[in-house]
Amino acid sequence: MQGLMMDRPLLISSLLQHAEVTHPHSEIVSRRCEGDIHRYTMKDAAARARKVANLLQRLNINDGDRIATLAWNNYRHFELYYGVSGYGAVLHTINPRLFAEQLVYIVNHAEDRYIFVDLTFVPLLEAILPHIGNVEGFIILCDEDKMPETKLPNAQCYETLLAAESDEFEWPEFDERKGASMCYTSGTTGNPKGVLYSHRSTCLHALSSVGEEVMGLSSSSCFLPVVPMFHVNAWGTPYSACITGAKQVFPGPGMDGASLWELIEAEKPDLLLGVPTVWLMLLNHMDSIGKKLESVKNVIIGGAAAPLQMIKDFDQKHDAFVVHAWGMTEMSPIGTINAYNGIMAALPEEERYQLQRKQGRPVFGVEIKICDDDGNELPRDGKTFGRLLVRGPWIVNGYYNNDDTSSFENGWFDTGDVATIDENSYMNIVDRSKDVIKSGGEWISSIDLENAAVGHPQLAECCVIGARHPKWDERPILLAVKNPEAEVDEASVLSYLEDKIAKWWMPDAVIFVESLPHTATGKLLKVDLRKDYENYLIDHGKA
Ligand code: AMP
């Protein structure tokens, strides 16, 4: 028997319509590329999003056409989130940190018809212009008097175009499974892959993420997303904000400690969201000026592991709780989150910090499991490592125009991460599966080894990779960058590690290097290193 309930579609425009009538006075504050602070309300944003839709109609944009953005977190980007998807086109948010050839690849692969671009990124597009000839026009996100001299053909001013449009537009209704926005992965191998989110997946993700033990957003919250709108939709927060009416504070290009503090002091957000690197800059800045983050209650940290010291610093110096979270571009992105709850409340401080290091528990809508190489599910004992697989209504089911199905396994998506899961479903990322070192059939976490080694006071950065070994298949070797003028040798590093790791995890060699390569999003790029050092142990008589 079927239920007798209405089948109203979950559309991105419905989030904005809800916000406009329920939270019309919610504030949206932005630092603009021009340097000044802009503020307006949700009602203003909704009217301008309708102008965007009218503009798309004038530009003859069809259903499903891709419209790209190359922009910071700011109110104009917010309007495009709703104007483009609400109209029925697909918003393609481009990550400006990708390398030039990756940018060319994704603009052409997505077949973007127009690119809306912040002033900062105009030179980036000019540099690749000869290779993106199919783009019909560029719309620069500024006022007429700020329009730059540019080589971009058919470059128009966003504000001038918007001023000419009506703010009346009837949002169309369509199938909630239609594509709404897309984001390309910034993987370490091969070309980036397109993830195409639907209206339904985006709305469900937003509904789930506002929950008390997820992001805990409400109409009285004020949050500062430093996580960019150009990478996985700022963790879906522009959508969650419309459900709850929380005040949004957009940092624009100002991601350094001083600029962030200036905004925090003025706007008093209670929630910050971002990757560990930005918080390192903020914490250092706060130390240097000797001030406390008075308004901040929670800091959601994801994208990379939150270091223990960072969790402690936020708690002990600023009374702010670190909510560790894990997800992926392919997961919209939220998978697990480690919010404060009864389990934590019952723990002594040191044990609570240790629990906070884990990436948390799955939110409703996401199922997780760990498996061995043959697909057998492994125990949830908090110790056994396995490949982390996920499924759920906001998890990718296939890449855009790409027949690579290697990550899809009987209705589950293989995240490429290696993790443990405990009896309360707390998940802990141990490594990336291609980085884990397989020594004599047992797995060694390169991340744990790196974290242990980098605590050495004379090392600036460490990278652990597996090198071929005739007896054990692979053994870990440690590549280390010394602090300037540090005097440190292999023996000192190995003796430092002695009481910090299992004996059989001890690296078979420590190699000092000038620098280590990174991806566009700051992750260690181990692919080339693995090739370069593959035979190191054999060639140096260490195997
Ligand atoms: P991306 O799709 O670029 O957001 O990268 C997703 C990957 O980042 C995941 O598969 C993890 O390897 C890594 N990642 C994300 N969050 C965390 C976290 N909290 N701790 C450790 N690794 C993380």
Side-chain angles (χ1 to χ4, degrees):
M1 185 189 288
Q2 297 288 316
L4 288 171
M5 307 311 277
M6 291 184 192
D7 200 4
R8 297 286 299 144
L10 294 168
L11 299 180
I12 285 178
S13 55
S14 61
L15 296 172
L16 189 64
Q17 283 172 301
H18 169 78
E20 187 178 13
V21 295
T22 316
H23 312 291
H25 306 300
S26 288
E27 252 196 305
I28 300 173
V29 180
S30 313
R31 185 192 293 283
R32 306 203 296 180
C33 296
E34 295 90 320
D36 58 345
I37 299 290
H38 173 275
R39 54 181 78 232
Y40 71 177
T41 63
M42 191 61 90
K43 194 168 186 311
D44 301 324
R48 283 172 52 100
R50 289 193 292 270
K51 283 174 171 254
V52 170
N54 280 317
L55 172 62
L56 297 180
Q57 200 156 45
R58 184 178 307 279
L59 295 172
N60 290 323
I61 299 302
N62 302 314
D63 219 39
D65 283 353
R66 270 74 62 211
I67 301 296
T69 56
L70 201 50
W72 298 107
N73 290 10
N74 60 43
Y75 66 105
R76 292 175 176 133
H77 208 173
F78 182 82
E79 295 156 11
L80 290 164
Y81 263 53
Y82 285 94
V84 173
S85 302
Y87 176 81
V90 173
L91 177 87
H92 172 202
T93 52
I94 300 178
N95 183 345
R97 298 196 181 122
L98 294 176
F99 304 119
E101 61 272 26
Q102 294 177 318
L103 289 175
V104 168
Y105 174 83
I106 68 172
V107 169
N108 290 326
H109 187 263
E111 298 175 85
D112 295 327
R113 285 192 57 190
Y114 279 83
I115 302 184
F116 287 73
V117 54
D118 262 341
L119 283 168
T120 326
F121 302 122
V122 169
L124 207 62
L125 285 178
E126 287 175 336
I128 60 168
L129 191 59
H131 310 288
I132 53 168
N134 291 335
V135 177
E136 289 165 44
F138 300 87
I139 296 174
I140 304 184
L141 296 163
C142 66
D143 289 317
E144 189 67 50
D145 61 347
K146 297 281 186 321
M147 275 295 277
E149 287 272 320
T150 175
K151 286 190 288 199
L152 296 178
N154 194 11
Q156 298 179 77
C157 169
Y158 179 72
E159 291 299 339
T160 307
L161 288 172
L162 237 53
E165 298 299 338
S166 155
D167 63 7
E168 286 187 16
F169 182 84
E170 185 116 2
W171 296 113
E173 279 200 8
F174 40 72
D175 183 348
E176 63 184 21
R177 288 173 178 76
K178 253 173 82 149
S181 65
M182 71 196 304
C183 181
Y184 280 73
T185 60
S186 45
T188 49
T189 45
N191 281 322
K193 288 179 272 189
V195 180
L196 180 55
Y197 310 110
S198 68
H199 286 258
R200 172 185 154 82
S201 70
T202 307
C203 289
L204 289 174
H205 180 268
L207 276 168
S208 181
S209 52
V210 296
E212 174 74 27
E213 287 192 16
V214 187
M215 290 189 183
L217 289 180
S218 73
S219 59
S220 52
S221 330
C222 168
F223 71 91
L224 177 97
V226 186
V227 48
M229 290 170 85
F230 56 70
H231 186 55
V232 213
N233 300 333
W235 297 346
T237 52
Y239 306 114
S240 327
C242 279
I243 295 179
T244 60
K247 173 177 166 183
Q248 300 172 85
V249 183
F250 291 130
M255 311 253 191
D256 59 289
S259 308
L260 288 175
W261 168 238
E262 197 181 284
L263 262 190
I264 294 169
E265 194 177 25
E267 304 301 330
K268 311 216 172 342
D270 52 22
L271 173 66
L272 313 178
L273 305 98
V275 297
T277 1
V278 293
W279 305 132
L280 207 56
M281 292 192 284
L282 179 64
L283 288 169
N284 286 341
H285 179 72
M286 299 313 289
D287 280 348
S288 73
I289 59 169
K291 291 212 167 147
K292 189 178 163 193
L293 297 163
E294 299 283 355
S295 66
V296 179
K297 296 198 182 75
N298 290 296
V299 186
I300 304 187
I301 304 186
L308 180 61
Q309 195 55 46
M310 187 172 283
I311 295 173
K312 289 184 177 178
D313 281 352
F314 271 119
D315 185 34
Q316 294 167 0
K317 297 182 180 169
H318 301 284
D319 250 332
F321 183 80
V322 167
V323 181
H324 200 181
W326 166 85
M328 304 181 73
T329 308
E330 287 90 337
M331 300 176 68
S332 303
I334 298 175
T336 63
I337 194 141
N338 204 344
Y340 191 77
N341 59 19
I343 299 178
M344 294 224 182
L347 292 176
E349 192 178 70
E350 269 312 313
E351 282 176 49
R352 173 164 60 76
Y353 289 142
Q354 289 305 329
L355 182 56
Q356 279 181 271
R357 292 179 79 179
K358 296 192 174 194
Q359 281 74 5
R361 305 201 282 183
V363 297
F364 173 73
V366 175
E367 290 171 76
I368 63 174
K369 66 176 179 179
I370 47 171
C371 289
D372 65 15
D373 282 343
D374 301 322
N376 303 308
E377 190 166 348
L378 295 167
R380 292 167 179 251
D381 57 11
K383 291 194 210 80
T384 311
F385 296 10
R387 293 182 301 124
L388 179 61
L389 277 76
V390 293
R391 68 176 177 192
W394 56 77
I395 292 167
V396 70
N397 198 23
Y399 290 105
Y400 177 68
N401 274 352
N402 183 324
D403 47 21
D404 177 2
T405 53
S406 57
S407 302
F408 303 95
E409 200 170 304
N410 303 322
W412 290 77
F413 174 72
D414 183 341
T415 62
D417 284 326
V418 173
T420 63
I421 303 177
D422 74 13
E423 57 177 7
N424 290 315
S425 276
Y426 277 96
M427 186 275 286
N428 190 16
I429 297 284
V430 173
D431 216 335
R432 292 289 295 164
S433 51
K434 56 189 179 329
D435 296 339
V436 79
I437 295 147
K438 297 186 176 167
S439 171
E442 299 287 340
W443 291 9
I444 298 175
S445 159
S446 67
I447 293 181
D448 283 357
L449 263 181
E450 283 158 8
N451 287 343
V454 85
H456 190 294
Q458 286 175 310
L459 297 184
E461 196 180 13
C462 293
C463 171
V464 172
I465 50 175
R468 278 181 45 212
H469 191 286
K471 178 165 176 201
W472 302 109
D473 287 340
E474 271 185 356
R475 287 295 301 158
I477 59 173
L478 170 64
L479 306 176
V481 181
K482 294 181 193 177
N483 280 329
E485 314 204 349
E487 291 205 8
V488 54
D489 59 10
E490 178 172 66
S492 136
V493 176
L494 295 180
S495 92
Y496 173 80
L497 284 174
E498 232 153 47
D499 57 352
K500 297 181 180 65
I501 54 168
K503 217 168 166 187
W504 64 277
W505 281 32
M506 197 57 82
D508 281 16
V510 178
I511 304 154
F512 295 100
V513 292
E514 286 298 311
S515 62
L516 289 164
H518 295 93
T519 67
T521 47
K523 293 178 176 142
L524 272 172
L525 187 56
K526 298 191 180 180
V527 191
D528 292 342
L529 294 175
R530 262 198 299 271
K531 266 193 237 131
D532 294 348
Y533 290 91
E534 193 180 3
N535 291 319
Y536 184 90
L537 294 175
I538 297 166
D539 294 347
H540 289 77
K542 291 189 166 224

